Amino acid sequence: MPGDSDYDARRTVWNAMVDRRPAAIAVCTSTLDVVHAVRAARAEGLPVSVRGGGHSVSGQALCEGGLTIDLSGMRRVTVHASRGVVEAQGGCRLADLDRATAAHGLAVPSGTVSETGLGGLALGGGTGWLTRSFGLTCDNFEVCEVVLADGRVVEASPTERADLFWALRGGGGNFGVVTRFRLRAHRFGPGILVAAALYRPEEASEALAAYASLAPGLPRTIGWHASLKKRLPPYPFVPADRVGRPGLLLIAMWLGDADDRAAAQLRRLTRVGRPAARECLVLPFADGVQQLMDAEFPDGRRYYTKQAHLRELDEGAIGEIVRFWTEMPMCGEIVLLGLGGALRDVPESDSAFSHRGCPWWLEFLLHWQDPRWDAPYARQARETVGRLGPCVAPGTYLNMRNADEAADVRALTEAYGGPEKYARLRLVKSRYDPGNDFRSNWNIPPADSGPGLGNRRSEQPAG
Ligand code: FAD
């Protein structure tokens, strides 16, 4: 509680722009603790937020004046290797999951920064290096144990409370506190074959045009992404004289058992355009590639993310992206992800996660230290996406949405798959959280509570 010696540390999240003061923080170590916390909040009439890894850029882990249910004491992972399943508690970080599964030669597809929380990432979808082969994190759910708003502990799976299971796969933290995930794990590692090509800014447009034409035709065993870095990090495939300078990286990864043919295919991808350097090497997966980006996005900077789905990546869009990158005054990167593969195996109606057919994701991951730059820098990123015009497709990735997008109910409805899917989510919400107790998230108001924003119980503390 305020005044306790660790209160300030406990209310600090990844993004330094977030400064909220919960009335109390319940540091839970068991499902029963979570039940008590949920019931206590209801008895006291306090708003609730759930803290997984604290990496939501809009700070949804914390609620001003309410009760924050902190799951950081719930990070146990149990691997059942012979069955290929993993039980992970709701407060796990991605590193917890990777470490436990790697010991058995297994992996669960998740995200790309190891301190991110499994809870927030998986409930919103969960994309990462393995997505094209093994799907989203939420596509690998088998069972979720959930503490509901009335304190009941239930399980959701394809055969039990299938409506809740459907909603948990992409509907975020709207339906209760997930205290345990049972996830499918896949045979993978310990190494991953990686091929990287590095381009100077003046060669970037040409390389991106080649990337845009080749990426859609690749087999699902190859993940290939483009990363326009303001300052190249000391990655194993970045020459020492390029570190700290701007550069475009096209990074291809082989997402299956690698052989000579795989290496030849990846090597071919490093020959597009005019690279300044290229490299093909095997890196450790769990304690290598999965932690490669950690140092670039440490806690405590002022972060802004902007994500857009793109229907195409044409010359005009590439020009706008490269222009922003070469002129940007802040730190960070712009990423282009060619998705598809296993992501498209799941029919659109089978989970709350939407827009599976979208070919390209564009992500701005920007940061700076001085609060005076918050508004103008965020505006620059927003305006750049605005200039992409018809290349921008409907929907956004909920997990990358920002506080400045909170008031746009139409965009939120679209992110949840459009009016029909949103209405279905609202029905599930009214079954499992009719009072909208869980609303520090990309909130789905219960079906019978009015249109959305403006109704007291559906207000967006995140905004
Ligand atoms: P928190 O801020 O703790 O929680 C966010 C939301 O999730 C809250 O609404 C909370 O209520 C809910 N929540 C969390 N845990 C639970 C639970 N157990 N039960 C119920 N609700 C819960 N996303 C990707 O898909 N792929 C990536 O590669 C990726 N990389 C990222 C890298 C960085 C540096 C950052 C900051 C984010 C990244 N993201 C990525 C986005 C990430 O998925 C979201 O920020 C996500 O919300 C983080 O989850 P968290 O548990 O850390 O967040």
Side-chain angles (χ1 to χ4, degrees), residues 8 15 53 119 154 175 204 236 298:
D8 280 330
N15 188 355
V154 301
F175 306 95

Short mmCIF file of all heavy atoms in Angstrom, two decimals, residues 8 15 53 119 154 175 204 236 298:
data_model
loop_
_atom_site.label_atom_id
_atom_site.label_comp_id
_atom_site.label_asym_id
_atom_site.label_seq_id
_atom_site.Cartn_x
_atom_site.Cartn_y
_atom_site.Cartn_z
N ASP A 8 6.56 1.88 -4.40
CA ASP A 8 6.94 2.55 -5.65
C ASP A 8 7.54 1.57 -6.66
O ASP A 8 7.27 1.65 -7.85
CB ASP A 8 7.88 3.73 -5.39
CG ASP A 8 7.10 4.95 -4.93
OD1 ASP A 8 5.93 5.09 -5.35
OD2 ASP A 8 7.64 5.74 -4.14
N ASN A 15 7.05 1.00 -19.16
CA ASN A 15 6.99 2.30 -19.83
C ASN A 15 6.99 3.43 -18.79
O ASN A 15 6.04 3.56 -18.02
CB ASN A 15 5.72 2.37 -20.68
CG ASN A 15 5.68 3.61 -21.56
OD1 ASN A 15 6.57 4.47 -21.47
ND2 ASN A 15 4.66 3.70 -22.40
N GLY A 53 3.46 -9.27 -16.81
CA GLY A 53 4.85 -8.83 -16.91
C GLY A 53 5.01 -7.33 -16.87
O GLY A 53 6.13 -6.82 -16.95
N GLY A 119 1.12 -13.70 -19.76
CA GLY A 119 -0.33 -13.48 -19.62
C GLY A 119 -0.86 -12.48 -20.63
O GLY A 119 -1.74 -12.79 -21.44
N VAL A 154 -12.52 -21.58 -12.63
CA VAL A 154 -13.05 -22.48 -13.65
C VAL A 154 -11.94 -22.81 -14.66
O VAL A 154 -10.92 -22.13 -14.71
CB VAL A 154 -14.25 -21.85 -14.41
CG1 VAL A 154 -15.39 -21.50 -13.46
CG2 VAL A 154 -13.82 -20.61 -15.20
N PHE A 175 -11.89 -11.23 -19.28
CA PHE A 175 -12.86 -12.22 -18.80
C PHE A 175 -12.53 -12.81 -17.43
O PHE A 175 -13.31 -13.58 -16.88
CB PHE A 175 -12.98 -13.35 -19.85
CG PHE A 175 -13.29 -12.80 -21.21
CD1 PHE A 175 -12.28 -12.54 -22.12
CD2 PHE A 175 -14.59 -12.45 -21.52
CE1 PHE A 175 -12.57 -11.97 -23.34
CE2 PHE A 175 -14.88 -11.88 -22.75
CZ PHE A 175 -13.88 -11.63 -23.67
N ALA A 204 18.40 0.95 -48.46
CA ALA A 204 17.28 0.31 -47.74
C ALA A 204 16.04 0.16 -48.62
O ALA A 204 15.38 -0.89 -48.60
CB ALA A 204 16.96 1.12 -46.48
N PRO A 236 25.42 -10.72 -33.03
CA PRO A 236 26.55 -11.52 -33.53
C PRO A 236 26.77 -11.35 -35.03
O PRO A 236 27.85 -11.63 -35.53
CB PRO A 236 26.14 -12.96 -33.22
CG PRO A 236 24.94 -12.90 -32.36
CD PRO A 236 24.39 -11.52 -32.38
N PRO A 298 15.00 -1.68 -22.53
CA PRO A 298 15.03 -1.85 -21.07
C PRO A 298 13.87 -1.11 -20.40
O PRO A 298 13.26 -0.22 -21.00
CB PRO A 298 16.36 -1.21 -20.69
CG PRO A 298 16.61 -0.19 -21.74
CD PRO A 298 16.01 -0.73 -23.01
#
